[in-house]
Amino acid sequence: MQGVRCLVGIAVLCLAPPVLRAAVPPDPAGWQVLFQENFEHGNPAWTPYVDTPTPWNVEDDGGNAVYSLDDLSFPRFNYVTAPAGPWSDFRYHLRVKLFTGVFGIKFRHQGCQGYYVEFGHGRFTLWHIVDCSGPHPIVSMGGGLSTGTWQDVDVLLTGALIRLYVDGRQLLAYADPAPLMLGGIGLQN
């Protein structure tokens, strides 16, 4: 079984112009913050996918509260979803430190449908889940997250267009011909 160790800093769903690196385009005028989690108040109310104790926990990383996944025994595809949403067009911003294994970011997730980006082993893959039939890879390529360092990850969703950025560098711009237009956010191992 693949071991996973990662920390998630601030998970923010922004519909307002955040301070981001210059390469990430600004949000459209009028967007506002709809959900924000800094994990400073202990375990958040994120909902686990399985009915067993979740391997996600809040811990301290140099004086900052972070949501930690230390998953050496849980099945792959264990995930948590945020207690807010669904939304259509939005920016999903996270600070992530990956140590080992694979880490995923879910978005426009609703029931057993949605998208997720999986990072690990020097690659990233964009997956699409439609009609509860399991994940289908859309694109997979080198790049993604480095291990052992904090990185900014942004997913910008406008209509059918999905854009992915790591530290302000665009990794992906994909227009889905049959897009899922509404859903929430989550984190996945």
Side-chain angles (χ1 to χ4, degrees):
M1 176 163 313
Q2 175 83 39
V4 176
R5 172 88 171 112
C6 72
L7 300 175
V8 178
I10 302 170
V12 180
L13 173 68
C14 281
L15 293 185
V19 177
L20 297 173
R21 298 172 192 252
V24 179
D27 295 320
W31 279 24
Q32 56 188 286
V33 174
L34 296 178
F35 175 75
Q36 182 170 340
E37 175 65 70
N38 64 14
F39 309 115
E40 294 291 333
H41 303 289
N43 275 339
W46 291 51
T47 304
Y49 167 69
V50 293
D51 291 331
T52 59
T54 179
W56 293 90
N57 289 293
V58 174
E59 67 178 58
D60 182 85
D61 182 58
N64 296 304
V66 295
Y67 210 25
S68 171
L69 173 65
D70 194 355
D71 182 24
L72 302 176
S73 62
F74 279 81
R76 190 141 181 250
F77 303 118
N78 181 9
Y79 62 86
V80 290
T81 55
W87 305 284
S88 56
D89 292 351
F90 59 89
R91 177 188 308 273
Y92 185 13
H93 174 79
L94 299 99
R95 300 240 334 124
V96 176
K97 185 191 289 186
L98 179 66
F99 291 98
T100 61
V102 176
F103 170 71
I105 301 168
K106 299 180 82 63
F107 50 93
R108 286 193 179 155
H109 172 78
Q110 203 167 63
C112 57
Q113 298 191 107
Y115 300 94
Y116 69 94
V117 175
E118 181 180 77
F119 294 98
H121 312 295
R123 303 188 62 74
F124 76 91
T125 303
L126 174 63
W127 296 85
H128 192 191
I129 304 168
V130 181
D131 298 328
C132 306
S133 63
H136 304 283
I138 295 174
V139 64
S140 183
M141 60 181 65
L145 299 177
S146 301
T147 56
T149 184
W150 283 105
Q151 294 160 93
D152 290 299
V153 177
D154 289 277
V155 178
L156 182 59
L157 303 152
T158 49
L161 184 60
I162 300 169
R163 291 181 281 179
L164 173 66
Y165 299 85
V166 172
D167 287 337
R169 180 175 49 96
Q170 184 171 318
L171 300 182
L172 174 72
Y174 174 75
D176 193 335
L180 299 172
M181 298 300 294
L182 186 68
I185 59 174
L187 305 170
Q188 177 171 320
N189 68 334

